[in-house]
Amino acid sequence: MKYTTIVLSGDYHDGPGTGTAALGARKKHRFEYHRFFELTARIRRSRRVGTVLIDHRSDFSPSGFAAVEAIRRELISLAEGGKRLIFCCEDCDMLTLFLASACDTRVIHPVGELRVLGIARRFLFIKKTLDRFGVNATVIRRGRYKSAGDLFRTDSLDPANREQYETFYGEAHERIVETISRSTGKSRADIDVLLSGHVLPAEQAVSHGWLTEVATVHELHRRLRDQKRKERTIKLHGKFGRGARVAVIFLDGAVCDGESRRHPVLGNCVGDRTIAGQLRELSDDKKIKAVVLRVNSPGGSAVASESIRRELAHLHKKKPIVVSMANVAGSGGYWVSTEADRVFAESMTLTGSIGVLLMLLEVEKPLKNYGVTSDVIETGRFAELGSPLRKLSREEQHLLDTRVEQLYEDFIRRAADARNQTPERIEAVAAGRVWSGAAATGRGLVDEIGGLDAALTHLREKLGKKKLAVRMYPKVKSSLLERVLLKHLPASPMGASRVTTAPAVIGELHRKPLAVVPELLFDSLTISPGEVSSAYSTSYSTELSM
């Protein structure tokens, strides 16, 4: 019997990336859930692999609680399939222990330590910085919980925003603690001792029964080889299984206009033209019998979100569609999810955020301070609507406010129709508020708690098939030039987190004064980016975000 290794390393990405950036990240061993899902599916089917070594490295950075929940579920499915799981970590924090608790053998590095200290997320605000330089931010929103513009709008958490995130993180904390307690046999009192700041060195973590052994990953490999177990490498092809062909298409990133691309600040952006083209191909492909839409998006452009939804509606006339929500499916990510037969979410998915936001920056004062003035010729009363070089007039603000209200009402109606509820009932859980998947299920925004596996099981039953042949989309193709450039690019530290610096933000705002990215400066290591939406506008057109 052989063994295989699963490496948990690098930044979490739910689906295939785009272009050279994706290839470069893969070279640096970024974690891609779609590949992990295929890998575990192939391991379950393999009769030659009896042991799985999970190599959890210190640079592993899951982007949300739901990601860890989905990974843990796959580990449990391997154990239930008769595989022996050995979990090895260098250090063990709260989320690492949550993952390790799915395995009977839990190994920690000799100089590692167990730290279960709880969950924290710090919010940053730059309103006072903008005020200092005379930059005025106008935020027009529907939904008192819609916090995407708070980075620029306020200098602290307002009561509504604090309420929604305290509730979400509180639910996540309880879910993690309850799972650890149940899986390790430890009491809540034992966990409370750790939460009080009690850090255990490796040997004590083992002697107290939290972990089972002290060793390095290299020693584990050597031990398995001494047991005459050869390591088996499993090749991935973006498809697996035999039976009725089903497509899983990943929407992983902020929704934007045009082609999918790597944004210098937003990171991976899902372009409506790219996704729409892929959906049309799936619609015309007679071999594809059904589609799973895997959503890991905080939303973004309202126009792009609606373009994707319409293509989904066209495809839906021909084939069943099921939505599987990942870490976050909020705002525009929820909008596109309304075109489905059934919606699945992890219990810790961040979803909802049914609201609309528009934001403008006005830089007339700081420019005047440097002697820069402007004048204008316009042929229409509102021809210069949205210009960053002057304040909005009352009439212009009313015009934009009316448009935001119209889109919010459309969002309410769309969600009500999709969920077979009244607009009044949807509005009661809207207001831009984010919910956990569990809370959203209880309020009718989601059908069922479950991961990608549950969505595929549902389709198998709906199609009346015993087996499915799963195909992953979109398929990323890179040019010869990209591959040559990648080969000669220096690799950065494996799994290094993408850090947005102040100069990068300033440079982006200088290039596009009104291409505003709310919550640019959130800490990427604090589990969840929240509902990071983008509000784009130019001096001649204004685009709403959802």
Side-chain angles (χ1 to χ4, degrees), residues 57-348:
R57 299 180 183 176
S58 58
D59 68 347
F60 181 52
S61 179
S63 58
F65 299 115
V68 185
E69 194 173 20
I71 294 169
R72 189 180 189 278
R73 181 186 292 107
E74 289 303 305
L75 296 181
I76 290 175
S77 72
L78 291 176
E80 291 176 344
K83 309 299 181 183
R84 179 195 174 202
L85 302 186
I86 303 174
F87 189 96
C88 183
C89 59
E90 296 170 353
D91 276 302
C92 193
D93 60 14
M94 192 171 184
L95 288 183
T96 306
L97 185 59
F98 177 73
L99 279 176
S101 65
C103 309
D104 290 330
T105 304
R106 303 184 293 274
V107 183
I108 188 170
H109 192 278
V111 296
E113 57 185 20
L114 177 66
R115 299 184 305 273
V116 178
L117 304 177
I119 298 167
R121 176 187 173 190
R122 183 166 290 275
F123 296 73
L124 295 182
F125 305 92
I126 62 170
K127 183 181 184 301
K128 289 185 176 180
T129 302
L130 297 181
D131 292 343
R132 181 179 179 182
F133 289 98
V135 177
N136 181 59
T138 299
V139 177
I140 302 174
R141 61 177 180 167
R142 284 301 179 275
R144 66 184 185 278
Y145 294 98
K146 195 72 176 177
S147 62
D150 284 6
L151 173 68
F152 306 95
R153 185 184 66 84
T154 182
D155 58 11
S156 63
L157 288 169
D158 65 25
N161 198 21
R162 180 177 291 279
E163 175 192 354
Q164 68 177 345
Y165 281 111
E166 280 186 347
T167 300
F168 175 75
Y169 289 119
E171 290 180 30
H173 178 93
E174 285 304 308
R175 164 74 173 166
I176 293 168
V177 168
E178 189 275 332
T179 301
I180 292 174
S181 175
R182 185 183 66 251
S183 301
T184 61
K186 293 290 187 176
S187 68
R188 289 294 297 263
D190 292 329
I191 297 176
D192 287 342
V193 170
L194 297 181
L195 288 169
S196 68
H198 195 49
V199 177
L200 300 177
E203 294 288 352
Q204 289 186 28
V206 172
S207 63
H208 284 70
W210 293 103
L211 301 166
T212 59
E213 185 179 345
V214 173
T216 67
V217 68
H218 305 292
E219 289 171 338
L220 293 173
H221 279 287
R222 190 180 305 116
R223 183 187 305 170
L224 289 168
R225 288 195 296 268
D226 290 343
Q227 295 172 356
K228 307 301 181 184
R229 295 176 184 269
K230 292 184 178 180
E231 185 172 10
R232 179 178 174 82
T233 300
I234 297 177
K235 295 182 179 180
L236 304 178
H237 308 286
K239 56 185 179 181
F240 59 91
R242 295 180 180 179
R245 190 169 295 186
V246 170
V248 179
I249 182 165
F250 288 80
L251 270 67
D252 186 18
V255 181
C256 62
D257 301 305
E259 303 296 330
S260 294
R261 58 191 181 273
R262 188 76 179 173
H263 192 278
V265 176
L266 282 176
N268 199 49
C269 284
V270 179
D272 60 339
R273 291 184 183 177
T274 301
I275 297 300
Q278 189 72 76
L279 291 172
R280 284 192 292 271
E281 289 182 19
L282 295 177
S283 178
D284 295 337
D285 189 342
K286 295 181 180 180
K287 294 182 179 179
I288 299 295
K289 304 303 180 184
V291 173
V292 176
L293 181 68
R294 175 74 173 182
V295 180
N296 188 46
S297 173
S301 163
V303 172
S305 297
E306 173 62 4
S307 296
I308 293 172
R309 190 203 64 79
R310 284 179 176 267
E311 286 300 329
L312 285 166
H314 177 72
L315 186 151
H316 200 185
K317 294 176 182 178
K318 299 180 179 181
K319 302 169 185 182
I321 298 177
V322 172
V323 164
S324 171
M325 293 179 170
N327 273 320
V328 56
S331 206
Y334 189 84
W335 177 276
V336 300
S337 300
T338 58
E339 201 60 53
D341 298 305
R342 196 162 186 81
V343 177
F344 292 83
E346 301 287 354
S347 64
M348 294 188 282

Side-chain angles (χ1 to χ4, degrees), residues 238-526:
K239 56 185 179 181
F240 59 91
R242 295 180 180 179
R245 190 169 295 186
V246 170
V248 179
I249 182 165
F250 288 80
L251 270 67
D252 186 18
V255 181
C256 62
D257 301 305
E259 303 296 330
S260 294
R261 58 191 181 273
R262 188 76 179 173
H263 192 278
V265 176
L266 282 176
N268 199 49
C269 284
V270 179
D272 60 339
R273 291 184 183 177
T274 301
I275 297 300
Q278 189 72 76
L279 291 172
R280 284 192 292 271
E281 289 182 19
L282 295 177
S283 178
D284 295 337
D285 189 342
K286 295 181 180 180
K287 294 182 179 179
I288 299 295
K289 304 303 180 184
V291 173
V292 176
L293 181 68
R294 175 74 173 182
V295 180
N296 188 46
S297 173
S301 163
V303 172
S305 297
E306 173 62 4
S307 296
I308 293 172
R309 190 203 64 79
R310 284 179 176 267
E311 286 300 329
L312 285 166
H314 177 72
L315 186 151
H316 200 185
K317 294 176 182 178
K318 299 180 179 181
K319 302 169 185 182
I321 298 177
V322 172
V323 164
S324 171
M325 293 179 170
N327 273 320
V328 56
S331 206
Y334 189 84
W335 177 276
V336 300
S337 300
T338 58
E339 201 60 53
D341 298 305
R342 196 162 186 81
V343 177
F344 292 83
E346 301 287 354
S347 64
M348 294 188 282
T349 294
L350 196 68
T351 188
S353 189
I354 299 173
V356 182
L357 178 140
L358 180 148
M359 193 166 85
L360 305 170
L361 286 184
E362 180 259 307
V363 295
E364 181 181 19
K365 183 176 178 180
L367 290 179
K368 282 185 177 180
N369 290 338
Y370 285 95
V372 179
T373 59
S374 66
D375 208 338
V376 65
I377 296 175
E378 52 187 340
T379 61
R381 187 176 178 182
F382 298 102
E384 204 191 13
L385 177 67
S387 171
L389 300 179
R390 63 172 178 80
K391 294 181 180 180
L392 284 173
S393 68
R394 290 185 178 180
E395 289 178 305
E396 289 174 326
Q397 187 152 352
H398 176 72
L399 183 67
L400 295 176
D401 189 77
T402 300
R403 180 65 185 118
V404 169
E405 177 65 26
Q406 290 172 343
L407 189 55
Y408 181 58
E409 291 176 357
D410 289 344
F411 204 160
I412 294 291
R413 284 193 295 269
R414 167 61 53 192
D417 290 343
R419 306 306 306 163
N420 294 317
Q421 297 186 30
T422 64
E424 291 76 18
R425 187 171 178 181
I426 291 296
E427 191 167 12
V429 296
R433 178 162 182 166
V434 295
W435 303 94
S436 68
T441 303
R443 289 163 176 78
L445 296 176
V446 170
D447 291 304
E448 188 174 338
I449 295 299
L452 183 53
D453 55 336
L456 291 171
T457 298
H458 175 80
L459 280 181
R460 187 178 68 243
E461 295 172 352
K462 187 177 183 66
L463 295 173
K465 303 294 183 180
K466 293 183 179 180
K467 297 181 179 180
L468 295 180
V470 179
R471 302 291 184 269
M472 304 287 193
Y473 297 87
K475 296 179 178 178
V476 179
K477 297 180 179 179
S478 301
S479 67
L480 175 62
L481 177 59
E482 287 176 329
R483 293 194 295 271
V484 170
L485 287 174
L486 173 61
K487 184 177 180 181
H488 296 285
L489 285 175
S492 63
M494 182 174 58
S497 299
R498 177 177 58 84
V499 178
T500 302
T501 61
V505 175
I506 294 171
E508 183 64 16
L509 292 177
H510 175 73
R511 189 177 66 85
K512 283 187 176 181
L514 292 182
V516 180
V517 184
E519 294 190 37
L520 292 181
L521 301 176
F522 73 86
D523 183 351
S524 63
L525 300 181
T526 54

